[in-house]
Amino acid sequence: MKNLDRMSCKKNYHRHCALVYYMVLLDLTNAVFEFSHPLIRDSGNSQSRQLLPHRLKRSWVWNQFFVLEEYTGTEPLYVGKLHSDMDNGDGSIKYILSGDGAGTMFTIDDGTGDIHAIQRLDREERSQYTLRAQALDRSTNKPMEPESEFIIKIQDINDNEPKFLDGPYTASVAEMSPVGTSIIQVSATDADDPTYGSSARVVYSILQGQPYFSVDSKTGVIRTALTNMDRESREYYEVIIQAKDMGGQLGGLAGTTSVNITLSDVNDNPPRFPQKHYQMNVLESSPVNSTVGRVLAMDLDEGVNAEMKYSIIDGDGFEFFDIVTDPSNQVGVITVKKPLDFENKKSYTLKIEGSNPHLEIRFLNLGPFRDTTSVHISVEDVDEPPVFESNIYFVEVSENVDIGTTIQIVSAKDPDATNNSVRYSIDRNSDPGRYFYVDVTTGALMTARPLDREEVSWHNITILAMEMNNPKQIGGVPVTIKILDVNDNAPTFTRFYETLMCENAKADQLIQTVSAVDQDDPQEGQHISYSLAPEAANNPNFTLRDNQDNTALILTRRAGFKQSEQSTFYLPLLISDNGHPRLSSTGTLTIQVCSCDEDGDIMSCNAEPYTLPISLSRGALIAILACIFVLLVLVLLILSMRRHRKQPYTIDEEDNVHENIVRYDDEGGGEEDTEAFDIAALWNPREVHMAKTRKDMKPEIESLSRYVTQSCRMDNNVHSYMLAKLYEADTDVCAPPFDSLQTYMFEGEGSVAQSLSSLQSLSTDSEQSYDYLTDWGPRFKKLAEMYGTKDKNGSL
């Protein structure tokens, strides 16, 4: 440390003392400046002034201090010393310090001018401080010299290690990349002064991650250092990078960061099926697009590089099956393409190929990027519903066919190998009017009611076929029936015609145009002709003219009509169609004569009222009214008696037991009594007229066969006969109600259960014992004698 002596400076007219400062900083000597000020001298002559040069000598002037950062001593750090030339050392001078950090970071001894740092200094927080110093008279506290400014600079030391502000890092690089492929650049920052020494000069090195990766020591760029890095072998790497200051020399500070490197996938692995043969089963009833099974070609790659495309390249099931790729898991889904039939083909073989759609040229030498496998599909038999020979039936039938006429025969069979028998029926929801009937065994579709094209021209019904052994298996087929027209409707007027005619009408005057309509629809089109009815052929009053366009004109034949003579005329017209056979009807045209004015406007169409003779007395009127009243009473009485006589038999819903009950007035003889109701009528309806009848009693319900004509009984078409009688019973309001037909299938000798009828039961070899009847008391004695077992002595 070097001491600076105090110097004096003088002027010619006044004395000016300079403040000399001392600075001590380690081995460094503060810069000292010498200032000269011009002396302005006044000669006393007011007219002229003389500027005389004067040298002001000032000894060693300073402007900054230097001090090291991070001082760790226990005593305050000495920074420097302030000293004024006017300070004689007697303590009359007082030094003060102001500015940045004065009093908090730096202090000054007001007597000696020594400056000390009382806080730890950090250049990275603040690199310099600007302060001001001044010397004051201690007694007067007045400035002895002008205030001076100086700077204290903090000198750097290597106290900060490099830091990776953006770490840790994440990066990726494609697998199989060549050596030297750039991955990522890391950067470390040193807070030390880069202009002073090597404290901030950073060098990068790799601590972990060799030999796979390397780092540039100057730039921090990380690169691959090994060839054929395979993601499928190892995908993740953690690399540790170190940054060291002082140029990497010994004693430098270092910082580290981690870099997580992921190898991204490339398509370098071809797909492979884990097995070369698959076995699958499918029901023959599986619907189209249903799933049969799944296959998967394994690919070690991922993402788009593992996407698969499946296709059927060979096999006998190419037309019946298809395969699609499930994008969620790259599985090949085999589906049904067309309906299967176990009876036609029981198994199929498919050759399936799986391939990558996205290829990379540089890895084609690792291929081929496709693989094949075979799939054997077995079709399993299921109990299928009956199948009709046709998918739809179209029938045309005339509307005048008889009830029971067969209009179509449908046929269905069980497609299974068992070939069960089939029974037919009509879905009644499709035929609510019950116009048709189908034979349960033959499938013959017949009419059950009269058909009328004008009422319903189209029928759409569904015929069902049911397996006998499995009633749940039901097949159906739609049948469309078109009713063909026959000429069964005569044409009629479109409306009721009533014509008003003036009395002064002239001959051949048009009074009305009529038109008619025919509900039939002949193929050649409708043509309606008009003429006067035979009873009006020589009508002297009116005539008709046919327009040949389904209309006709009514003309007057004469003039001179008078309302008083005849106010209303009825003209019958014959209306005929052109059908085969030709049909006609008679329509009546009502013509009323009215009185009109000269312009032809109708004034009145009412005839003069008829007046009773004045000679008719009140008593006569009362007698006439009394007679009319008596006649009305008689008519009502007759109608009431006829109603009670022909009132149809009805039965309440609660009493509906669907049975025929025959009432006897006396006790019958059991099964031997067959006179009240001849059972032979049920066996042979043709012999019903020969049946014996009881003289003392007539059965309440007679067989319908009594009313059947001989021709109907001789008809071999039993279905037609039954349908006709059923329709006749349905339409006859006076017929006995609730006809029922009980069908016992497999009844008779061919059935295991044998006959369900009690008739001829005595002829059976039944081994059932009726001995218990003897224990039931005297009321069952007769039955016990009839059915009980007799011993050898003839007793029970």
Side-chain angles (χ1 to χ4, degrees):
M1 183 177 294
K2 181 177 180 180
N3 296 329
L4 300 178
D5 295 335
R6 182 180 58 184
M7 298 183 179
S8 300
C9 58
K10 297 181 181 179
K11 292 185 180 180
N12 293 335
Y13 298 100
H14 63 276
R15 178 176 178 173
H16 172 73
C17 297
L19 178 64
V20 180
Y21 301 91
Y22 296 88
M23 179 193 67
V24 179
L25 177 60
L26 297 176
D27 299 329
L28 299 177
T29 303
N30 293 316
V32 180
F33 299 88
E34 179 178 337
F35 294 92
S36 299
H37 296 275
L39 178 61
I40 301 177
R41 178 178 180 183
D42 188 4
S43 61
N45 187 357
S46 59
Q47 299 297 326
S48 62
R49 290 188 177 182
Q50 191 176 13
L51 179 61
L52 298 177
H54 177 75
R55 182 176 181 270
L56 178 62
K57 183 179 180 182
R58 188 168 185 172
S59 174
W60 302 107
V61 180
W62 62 278
N63 69 342
Q64 60 183 359
F65 293 103
F66 292 89
V67 61
L68 288 175
E69 63 173 338
E70 302 294 343
Y71 173 71
T72 59
T74 58
E75 298 294 331
L77 176 62
Y78 182 75
V79 178
K81 185 179 181 63
L82 297 178
H83 188 74
S84 175
D85 290 345
M86 300 180 64
D87 188 359
N88 297 324
D90 54 2
S92 61
I93 299 299
K94 177 183 178 182
Y95 297 97
I96 62 174
L97 190 65
S98 62
D100 297 337
T104 58
M105 300 295 295
F106 304 97
T107 60
I108 189 171
D109 190 328
D110 61 353
T112 63
D114 294 334
I115 301 175
H116 291 82
I118 61 175
Q119 297 287 343
R120 185 180 66 85
L121 300 176
D122 189 355
R123 189 201 67 83
E124 287 70 36
E125 293 181 1
R126 189 162 185 174
S127 61
Q128 67 180 22
Y129 296 87
T130 301
L131 296 94
R132 293 181 298 277
Q134 193 170 28
L136 303 178
D137 189 322
R138 191 179 292 276
S139 60
T140 63
N141 205 29
K142 292 184 178 180
M144 300 298 294
E145 291 186 12
E147 187 178 52
S148 297
E149 185 177 85
F150 64 94
I151 298 174
I152 299 178
K153 288 188 176 182
I154 310 303
Q155 193 172 18
D156 182 51
I157 64 173
N158 190 19
D159 60 341
N160 291 279
E161 73 277 3
K163 294 182 179 180
F164 293 91
L165 302 180
D166 297 330
Y169 296 87
T170 302
S172 65
V173 63
E175 63 173 330
M176 313 299 287
S177 296
V179 176
T181 301
S182 177
I183 302 174
I184 192 175
Q185 182 179 12
V186 297
S187 177
T189 302
D190 197 322
D192 292 327
D193 189 359
T195 62
Y196 180 76
S198 301
S199 299
R201 189 161 67 91
V202 178
V203 175
Y204 300 96
S205 61
I206 184 169
L207 300 182
Q208 177 181 315
Q210 294 176 333
Y212 306 104
F213 305 96
S214 63
V215 63
D216 191 292
S217 61
K218 295 181 179 180
T219 62
V221 176
I222 302 176
R223 293 183 170 86
T224 57
L226 193 65
T227 59
N228 299 330
M229 297 177 65
D230 191 3
R231 184 197 66 85
E232 289 71 31
S233 299
R234 183 177 178 182
E235 184 175 2
Y236 301 101
Y237 296 85
E238 184 180 14
V239 180
I240 305 299
I241 302 296
Q242 174 184 268
K244 189 175 184 182
D245 59 12
M246 299 297 294
Q249 298 178 5
L250 185 63
L253 301 179
T256 60
T257 188
S258 62
V259 182
N260 297 316
I261 299 177
T262 303
L263 295 184
S264 60
D265 185 63
V266 297
N267 193 7
D268 59 339
N269 293 278
R272 292 292 180 263
F273 285 101
Q275 59 190 74
K276 290 299 182 182
H277 179 76
Y278 291 85
Q279 177 66 38
M280 299 180 182
N281 298 325
V282 61
L283 298 176
E284 64 171 333
S285 60
S286 299
V288 176
N289 295 327
S290 61
T291 300
V292 178
R294 292 174 170 82
V295 295
L296 174 63
M298 305 297 294
D299 193 330
L300 298 178
D301 297 321
E302 64 179 8
V304 296
N305 299 315
E307 290 184 0
M308 299 298 301
K309 179 182 179 181
Y310 297 93
S311 58
I312 301 175
I313 60 175
D314 198 4
D316 56 358
F318 187 85
E319 295 182 357
F320 293 89
F321 299 94
D322 196 5
I323 186 169
V324 294
T325 303
D326 187 349
S328 62
N329 50 20
Q330 303 302 317
V331 172
V333 181
I334 302 175
T335 59
V336 178
K337 187 177 180 180
K338 294 176 63 176
L340 305 175
D341 190 357
F342 172 82
E343 288 70 28
N344 291 334
K345 190 171 180 61
K346 297 178 176 59
S347 64
Y348 298 88
T349 301
L350 305 177
K351 185 176 182 181
I352 296 178
E353 179 186 79
S355 60
N356 289 139
H358 306 287
L359 302 178
E360 294 190 25
I361 299 178
R362 60 192 180 108
F363 299 119
L364 291 180
N365 58 329
L366 302 177
F369 285 82
R370 59 172 54 89
D371 196 17
T372 59
T373 186
S374 63
V375 179
H376 184 267
I377 302 176
S378 298
V379 181
E380 297 181 354
D381 187 26
V382 296
D383 191 3
E384 298 176 281
V387 179
F388 286 87
E389 292 181 352
S390 177
N391 294 329
I392 187 172
Y393 289 90
F394 177 75
V395 182
E396 292 183 344
V397 57
S398 297
E399 60 178 329
N400 61 346
V401 296
D402 296 332
I403 296 177
T405 302
T406 300
I407 61 175
Q408 178 69 41
I409 297 179
V410 298
S411 178
K413 67 176 182 178
D414 183 7
D416 300 319
T418 56
N419 194 18
N420 294 322
S421 58
V422 176
R423 294 294 180 265
Y424 301 94
S425 62
I426 295 179
D427 184 358
R428 287 307 173 189
N429 293 326
S430 63
D431 185 25
R434 297 181 180 267
Y435 287 94
F436 303 96
Y437 169 80
V438 64
D439 187 90
V440 67
T441 57
T442 64
L445 180 62
M446 296 173 282
T447 57
R449 290 184 58 186
L451 303 178
D452 189 357
R453 187 201 67 85
E454 289 72 33
E455 181 181 352
V456 182
S457 58
W458 290 85
H459 295 269
N460 295 288
I461 65 174
T462 300
I463 297 181
L464 305 177
M466 178 187 68
E467 290 186 16
M468 288 295 298
N469 295 342
N470 188 0
K472 294 182 179 180
Q473 297 297 335
I474 300 176
V477 65
V479 179
T480 301
I481 304 173
K482 180 182 179 181
I483 309 302
L484 301 178
D485 183 58
V486 295
N487 192 26
D488 58 348
N489 291 278
T492 58
F493 279 141
T494 56
R495 61 182 180 86
F496 174 74
Y497 286 101
E498 183 177 7
T499 303
L500 302 180
M501 181 187 68
C502 293
E503 290 179 314
N504 55 0
K506 299 179 180 179
D508 293 331
Q509 180 177 335
L510 175 64
I511 60 173
Q512 182 65 52
T513 301
V514 296
S515 62
V517 63
D518 192 344
Q519 294 183 1
D520 295 323
D521 187 17
Q523 296 182 355
E524 60 274 10
Q526 289 187 354
H527 179 70
I528 300 175
S529 59
Y530 301 87
S531 62
L532 294 177
E535 62 270 21
N538 298 320
N539 190 294
N541 301 314
F542 304 98
T543 185
L544 180 144
R545 181 184 303 167
D546 194 342
N547 294 327
Q548 302 298 322
D549 60 354
N550 297 335
T551 63
L553 304 180
I554 307 300
L555 307 173
T556 59
R557 187 184 292 271
R558 65 178 179 85
F561 293 93
K562 292 184 179 181
Q563 185 181 15
S564 59
E565 295 179 357
Q566 187 175 354
S567 61
T568 303
F569 294 89
Y570 298 99
L571 182 64
L573 302 179
L574 184 63
I575 312 170
S576 305
D577 59 16
N578 60 333
H580 302 283
R582 190 181 185 91
L583 299 180
S584 62
S585 65
T586 301
T588 302
L589 174 64
T590 301
I591 305 173
Q592 191 170 359
V593 180
C594 303
S595 59
C596 303
D597 57 13
E598 295 180 356
D599 297 329
D601 297 330
I602 297 175
M603 296 186 300
S604 175
C605 294
N606 297 324
E608 294 181 359
Y610 176 75
T611 59
L612 292 175
I614 302 176
S615 61
L616 189 61
S617 64
R618 181 178 298 177
L621 291 176
I622 294 176
I624 293 174
L625 293 176
C627 292
I628 294 175
F629 177 76
V630 171
L631 290 176
L632 289 176
V633 172
L634 291 176
V635 170
L636 291 176
L637 182 59
I638 293 172
L639 291 177
S640 177
M641 293 177 63
R642 295 184 63 183
R643 180 181 179 184
H644 286 289
R645 181 181 301 175
K646 293 186 177 182
Q647 183 176 3
Y649 176 74
T650 59
I651 187 169
D652 295 337
E653 198 64 34
E654 296 180 354
D655 299 332
N656 180 11
V657 294
H658 288 262
E659 294 180 356
N660 294 334
I661 302 176
V662 180
R663 185 176 70 249
Y664 295 86
D665 292 335
D666 55 353
E667 182 178 357
E671 292 185 355
E672 297 179 356
D673 185 6
T674 59
E675 295 183 355
F677 188 79
D678 190 3
I679 196 67
L682 299 178
W683 295 338
N684 189 0
R686 299 179 183 179
E687 300 178 1
V688 66
H689 61 283
M690 301 176 60
K692 298 180 180 180
T693 59
R694 288 181 57 169
K695 303 300 184 179
D696 58 342
M697 181 179 178
K698 183 178 181 180
E700 294 181 350
I701 302 176
E702 299 182 2
S703 173
L704 290 176
S705 300
R706 299 176 184 268
Y707 304 103
V708 181
T709 61
Q710 185 66 22
S711 60
C712 291
R713 294 197 207 105
M714 297 303 294
D715 188 4
N716 293 327
N717 192 343
V718 178
H719 286 295
S720 300
Y721 165 72
M722 295 298 295
L723 292 175
K725 298 310 297 178
L726 178 61
Y727 177 73
E728 180 181 342
D730 290 341
T731 55
D732 187 0
V733 296
C734 297
F738 307 117
D739 294 336
S740 62
L741 176 63
Q742 302 296 334
T743 303
Y744 299 91
M745 295 192 305
F746 304 108
E747 178 186 359
E749 297 178 356
S751 172
V752 177
Q754 299 184 1
S755 177
L756 300 180
S757 174
S758 62
L759 302 179
Q760 299 178 357
S761 60
L762 295 176
S763 63
T764 59
D765 298 332
S766 175
E767 297 179 358
Q768 184 175 359
S769 175
Y770 295 95
D771 294 342
Y772 58 88
L773 295 176
T774 58
D775 300 331
W776 286 12
R779 300 183 63 180
F780 296 91
K781 181 178 180 180
K782 185 64 176 176
L783 289 177
E785 292 176 355
M786 295 174 61
Y787 294 95
T789 304
K790 297 182 179 180
D791 56 11
K792 296 181 179 180
N793 296 327
S795 61
L796 293 173

